[in-house]
Amino acid sequence: MLLLALLGIGATAYLIWWLLFRIPPSPKVFEFYPEDSNYSAVNDDVIHLGFAINHPSRLSSIKIVGLSADGKPLTRPETYDFSKGIPDVLESSCKQQKQLLTCKNIRSNARKPGTYIFEMTAQPKLVKGAVPSTIKTNSVTITPIPSPEIISFSSTKPTYRDVTTDKNSRSKSQKRNLNQSEIKLNWTTNNSKYLQSLQLIARTAEG
């Protein structure tokens, strides 16, 4: 009977602690990742993200921002309010099962070429002892549109004959050689489908 009484007292004390003093677990982001490892500006790609959070009923909001490798913001912060449940803008992308919230294919603000590291902060509801949860993704890159490049540039011949005789007094031989005085050029470029224009300038030896 003494043992039962001690057990009863212990159970009562534990129940009081559970109801009045226990600090409930805060929501924690335990998975945060880019949906793809390859993005390209050629395809007008935008980085999409996925994440998983436990105890979503205690979640107040999440904030997502894209950072550079040295921690400078590259995107504007995007904040989602979870105080009343899954926000409408994420309803089609998120699923809640008991104490787990998973969201996939969330569109970010990152569309410019560069390397991004995304940071997410899960802000808990105002409960005693609750602490935010922060996590970062691995780096993900949007490759830029390839720049056109001149691979080779040369004249068709190293030297040309200068035909300066008056047009009316040119002999047949001079007329046949006239084209030999016209400098013709060859060049090769790569990524030419991204080329807008070429500019040719002829300069004297003095520039």
Side-chain angles (χ1 to χ4, degrees):
M1 291 179 67
L2 180 60
L3 180 60
L4 290 175
L6 291 174
L7 289 174
I9 293 172
T12 302
Y14 178 78
L15 183 61
I16 293 173
W17 170 84
W18 177 271
L19 295 176
L20 300 180
F21 302 104
R22 180 184 68 92
I23 298 176
S26 300
K28 183 178 180 180
V29 186
F30 61 90
E31 193 175 23
F32 185 37
Y33 54 90
E35 293 283 0
D36 202 340
S37 58
N38 297 310
Y39 293 89
S40 175
V42 172
N43 302 322
D44 201 24
D45 287 343
V46 177
I47 296 176
H48 288 69
L49 305 168
F51 57 86
I53 302 176
N54 60 9
H55 304 294
S57 60
R58 301 187 179 97
L59 181 64
S60 174
S61 65
I62 62 171
K63 183 177 73 172
I64 298 174
V65 62
L67 306 173
S68 64
D70 56 0
K72 295 180 180 179
L74 295 179
T75 69
R76 68 176 185 275
E78 195 73 49
T79 302
Y80 301 96
D81 184 4
F82 279 84
S83 61
K84 297 180 181 178
I86 299 173
D88 293 341
V89 68
L90 297 181
E91 192 170 7
S92 61
S93 304
C94 296
K95 182 185 297 184
Q96 183 172 339
Q97 295 178 330
K98 296 183 179 180
Q99 294 300 316
L100 179 65
L101 173 71
T102 56
C103 298
K104 297 181 178 180
N105 206 33
I106 305 300
R107 182 186 177 95
S108 74
N109 296 322
R111 65 184 310 139
K112 294 182 179 180
T115 300
Y116 298 81
I117 298 173
F118 288 89
E119 180 182 81
M120 172 186 282
T121 301
Q123 188 68 40
K125 293 179 179 177
L126 295 177
V127 179
K128 180 182 178 181
V131 293
S133 172
T134 300
I135 191 173
K136 293 181 180 180
T137 66
N138 295 326
S139 60
V140 56
T141 300
I142 300 178
T143 56
I145 296 174
S147 298
E149 183 181 6
I150 300 172
I151 302 300
S152 64
F153 183 43
S154 63
S155 59
T156 57
K157 295 190 302 183
T159 59
Y160 293 83
R161 295 180 60 183
D162 183 14
V163 180
T164 58
T165 310
D166 181 78
K167 181 175 65 173
N168 296 323
S169 61
R170 287 172 186 163
S171 66
K172 290 183 178 180
S173 175
Q174 289 174 328
K175 291 179 179 178
R176 284 197 302 267
N177 294 330
L178 179 61
N179 287 337
Q180 297 181 14
S181 68
E182 297 175 350
I183 298 177
K184 294 180 173 60
L185 304 172
N186 294 329
W187 64 79
T188 304
T189 63
N190 64 4
N191 300 318
S192 56
K193 66 180 179 180
Y194 305 113
L195 179 64
Q196 177 173 306
S197 64
L198 283 170
Q199 184 184 56
L200 300 176
I201 300 177
R203 302 184 187 277
T204 64
E206 293 76 22

